[in-house]
Amino acid sequence: MQQMAERHHAAALLCLALAACGQLPAQAPVQPDSAEGFGREVPAHWITLREPEANELVVVVNNNGFWGGHAGLMLRTRLSDPAGSYHHRRARLSGWPGPSLADYVKFQTEDGLQIETYRFTLAPADAAAVLSHLPEADAAAPLYCATAVLNAIAGIGPFAGLTAVGWITPAALAQRLRPLVDAAAGTCEQIDASPCPAP
């Protein structure tokens, strides 16, 4: 009986590895010739999100798939992509100007169009506190992208009600952020800057 339970546990971990934060370095992205939005990035003009303002924190949740595909955050011009491949893959492109919110979201669309951006304006001291957590978040192990994002913001400013966790999926992270948006502490936008649909 215990062996069966161990096999089920191992199978569940394998599924998680394939689904959540499983972004591994691969070939440079291909520009799409269709509007599928899966396996290819969508055209840049599909992404109409504005870049973060001075003390605005944006949590990006790739919510494609059952557990979600990935999570990262951007504060000012600082992008944290825990356990992700964005920096590695983009750095291989000639003339890449560096990270931006629009480009990061565009990168996530390889998995599909269910990308949500949760935007919150922080007090300067709260922004500094989050920035101080980002080096640790950047070093997250595979499958710990959402955990690193949540733990970087937990207990700070509008996230005072969130507590650090040992592990969480990108989809579950989105579920924890949504009540903060609903309480008017922030906004949730899709890739075209339209409001996220009601859960």
Side-chain angles (χ1 to χ4, degrees):
M1 185 75 157
Q2 183 167 347
Q3 286 180 335
M4 181 183 288
E6 288 173 359
R7 276 191 231 133
H8 284 289
H9 181 72
L13 287 176
L14 178 60
C15 288
L16 289 173
L18 295 173
C21 305
Q23 296 187 358
L24 299 174
Q27 76 253 12
V30 177
Q31 291 301 315
D33 53 9
S34 70
E36 294 170 357
F38 183 78
R40 305 167 184 232
E41 293 178 19
V42 301
H45 70 271
W46 285 25
I47 315 295
T48 57
L49 298 164
R50 62 179 170 76
E51 294 300 310
E53 296 178 5
N55 288 312
E56 187 176 32
L57 180 143
V58 182
V59 176
V60 178
V61 177
N62 175 337
N63 217 354
N64 293 285
F66 185 76
W67 287 295
H70 193 59
L73 69 84
M74 190 164 194
L75 177 55
R76 300 177 181 150
T77 59
R78 173 69 159 85
L79 175 69
S80 179
D81 182 39
S85 58
Y86 172 76
H87 291 286
H88 171 78
R89 289 177 57 188
R90 284 301 200 242
R92 294 173 11 191
L93 299 177
S94 175
W96 180 56
S100 70
L101 178 61
D103 188 56
Y104 185 62
V105 168
K106 181 177 183 297
F107 181 80
Q108 298 300 323
T109 63
E110 283 190 343
D111 296 334
L113 301 179
Q114 302 305 310
I115 313 296
E116 299 165 350
T117 58
Y118 294 85
R119 307 181 81 111
F120 301 89
T121 300
L122 306 182
D126 293 335
V130 171
L131 286 171
S132 73
H133 294 158
L134 295 189
E136 181 179 351
D138 293 338
L143 306 182
Y144 281 82
C145 59
T147 305
V149 169
L150 178 59
N151 291 347
I153 63 176
I156 300 172
F159 314 107
L162 299 179
T163 55
V165 296
W167 190 79
I168 192 170
T169 66
L173 171 63
Q175 289 174 352
R176 292 195 186 189
L177 293 174
R178 194 56 187 257
L180 301 179
V181 168
D182 294 341
T187 61
C188 180
E189 298 175 346
Q190 300 178 90
I191 66 172
D192 62 355
S194 64
C196 297

